[in-house]
Amino acid sequence: MVWARAALGPWMLWGVLLLVAPAGAQRGRKKVVHVLEGESGSVVVQTAPGQVVSHRGGTIVLPCRYHYEATAHSHEGVRLKWTKVVEPLAFTDVFVALGPQHRAFGNYRGRAELQGDGPGDASLVLRNVTLQDYGHYECEVTNELEDDTGMVKLDLEGVVFPYHPRGGRYKLSFTEAQRACGEQDGILASAEQLHAAWRDGLDWCNAGWLRDGSVQYPVSRPREPCGGLHGAGGAGAGGGAAGGVRNYGYRHNAEERYDAFCFTSNLPGRVFFLKPLRPLPFSGAARACAARGAAVAKVGQLFAAWKLQLLDRCTAGWLADGSARYPIVNPRARCGGLRPGVRNLGFPDPGRRLFGVYCYRAPGAPDPAPGGWGWGWAGGGGWAGGARDPAAWTPLRV
């Protein structure tokens, strides 16, 4: 099965698409593409070249317009359908409209609607964009036996970050990598996102899963332990003395183990560092953040705050996965090197009192202690309690 196009004037037409999935199937549906032989009266669909860019929580228009080569046709009775490409030749339904009847599917309900900017406009307005919305969308226009389609790529502003859990490196199957990214406020990055991150300077000498099931890693500073001094990037990746994206190809996603490259976008809320009166064990981090109407920040939230909100703090703090990290926008002495980034101190003993904590407060969440916070015993006794058990401390305003 192949995609086929027929040239019609200045436009390129996709061929007729015939549905071969069972009735009612919405995900993983396959389409067979045939060449449209007749050109007379054909419907022509035009979409935006390149890609459209948004961010998490934003509103974006996926542009799509259509017209007829023969002027005798009416726009009435036209079916407009949007689907998302989930794998080659497999689609999931997003939105369909036939006259006054409109319907959105799945998690697009309440978020997707037609722009409706006059006859021939099939553009889709997508609100409250999520990480999962990233990808390619197909706009299909059908009138009786004639149809045409166009593709739109939705990209997101964001940041790619490497990740492995407390268990160590190269411990994740493909499914476990998907879950790990989700737990850290992200999704598995695409190959395109990893390549863009490499062009932006990402250098990471450990291979990780990507969304398409391939395993790759970016090297911006070539060295012997990381694929050699001259590089051997995969198809489409950089190479030579400037390094590149090393590509292991598609791996067995159930048996083989690697790290993960995750992607996240901007935050609707705020990440901030909380410095307690004394260093905290990991068990005290959640109570400290809760005292300020927040939760312990996830790894993806800290990366988003560093990259997109320019959070810069030369102090390590606990994160939700038990790691300790800190974000550096402006590199300086004693702050972990000469390059900006999120410094990673690994997974310290959770019982040791080493750090403060990075918290995340959702938008609209009140700060119960805007004047400050501290630790104490709800029954009184001040900040010094002799033999009192520190495990019984509760957050109190100061």
Side-chain angles (χ1 to χ4, degrees):
M1 295 184 293
V2 296
W3 291 103
R5 296 185 182 183
L8 295 178
W11 301 282
M12 298 296 291
L13 291 185
W14 292 103
V16 175
L17 303 181
L18 298 182
L19 191 65
V20 297
Q26 294 185 10
R27 185 172 181 83
R29 186 177 69 254
K30 302 292 183 180
K31 291 185 178 180
V32 181
V33 182
H34 302 276
V35 175
L36 180 64
E37 297 292 348
E39 298 183 359
S40 177
S42 298
V43 59
V44 179
V45 170
Q46 295 175 295
T47 52
Q51 62 190 22
V52 294
V53 181
S54 185
H55 55 82
R56 177 165 52 184
T59 297
I60 190 69
V61 175
L62 304 183
C64 179
R65 298 194 66 86
Y66 68 95
H67 69 277
Y68 294 99
E69 289 208 321
T71 58
H73 285 271
S74 168
H75 292 278
E76 297 181 0
V78 173
R79 188 188 74 159
L80 309 177
K81 186 173 185 179
W82 282 89
T83 53
K84 184 182 180 185
V85 182
V86 293
E87 60 182 73
L89 294 181
F91 300 72
T92 185
D93 291 343
V94 174
F95 187 90
V96 65
L98 180 59
Q101 299 180 355
H102 295 186
R103 180 183 177 187
F105 298 89
N107 64 3
Y108 294 97
R109 291 191 183 98
R111 300 194 299 124
E113 63 181 1
L114 289 181
Q115 178 175 249
D117 187 18
D121 184 24
S123 302
L124 188 72
V125 178
L126 189 59
R127 306 183 189 280
N128 193 22
V129 172
T130 70
L131 295 177
Q132 290 73 24
D133 291 339
Y134 169 88
H136 291 82
Y137 291 79
E138 178 186 88
C139 173
E140 180 181 26
V141 179
T142 304
N143 185 4
E144 297 178 347
L145 296 179
E146 298 174 355
D147 71 354
D148 189 30
T149 64
M151 301 296 292
V152 179
K153 181 184 179 184
L154 173 58
D155 202 359
L156 298 180
E157 298 173 345
V159 58
V160 172
F161 61 96
Y163 186 76
H164 71 84
R166 179 181 288 276
R169 299 192 184 279
Y170 291 178
K171 299 292 186 180
L172 300 174
S173 67
F174 178 74
T175 301
E176 291 167 342
Q178 289 179 309
R179 184 183 308 117
C181 288
E183 291 172 349
Q184 299 309 316
D185 192 50
I187 57 174
L188 275 179
S190 68
E192 293 86 356
Q193 288 169 334
L194 183 66
H195 190 260
W198 164 72
R199 292 174 62 89
D200 199 34
L202 181 61
D203 182 274
W204 195 256
C205 194
N206 294 94
W209 291 105
L210 296 178
R211 183 180 310 177
D212 61 359
S214 66
V215 173
Q216 306 183 34
Y217 65 99
V219 176
S220 59
R221 292 172 289 133
R223 49 205 184 274
E224 284 297 343
C226 301
L229 294 176
H230 299 291
V245 179
R246 316 294 196 240
N247 192 343
Y248 289 3
Y250 299 99
R251 314 305 298 179
H252 194 293
N253 59 21
E255 296 182 359
E256 299 189 35
R257 298 290 189 272
Y258 298 96
D259 292 349
F261 285 102
C262 308
F263 173 84
T264 193
S265 187
N266 73 310
L267 295 171
R270 172 175 171 257
V271 172
F272 59 95
F273 181 75
L274 201 55
K275 184 177 181 180
L277 299 178
R278 63 176 64 185
L280 289 173
F282 179 66
S283 60
R287 296 198 302 271
C289 290
R292 298 297 300 268
V296 181
K298 300 177 180 180
V299 175
Q301 291 169 338
L302 184 64
F303 268 91
W306 162 72
K307 182 71 172 181
L308 304 173
Q309 299 178 355
L310 302 182
L311 180 63
D312 183 283
R313 179 86 189 199
C314 191
T315 310
W318 293 110
L319 293 180
D321 67 340
S323 64
R325 309 176 192 238
Y326 60 100
I328 296 297
V329 174
N330 301 306
R332 49 203 183 273
R334 300 183 181 180
C335 289
L338 301 178
R339 296 164 63 93
V342 175
R343 312 290 192 245
N344 185 0
L345 303 186
F347 294 85
D349 181 348
R352 296 187 63 185
R353 297 177 176 273
L354 298 174
F355 310 107
V357 56
Y358 285 95
C359 305
Y360 171 73
R361 185 184 297 121
D367 183 353
W373 71 278
W375 289 105
W377 288 273
W383 299 105
R388 295 186 192 233
D389 180 10
W393 288 6
T394 58
L396 300 175
R397 293 190 187 185
V398 293

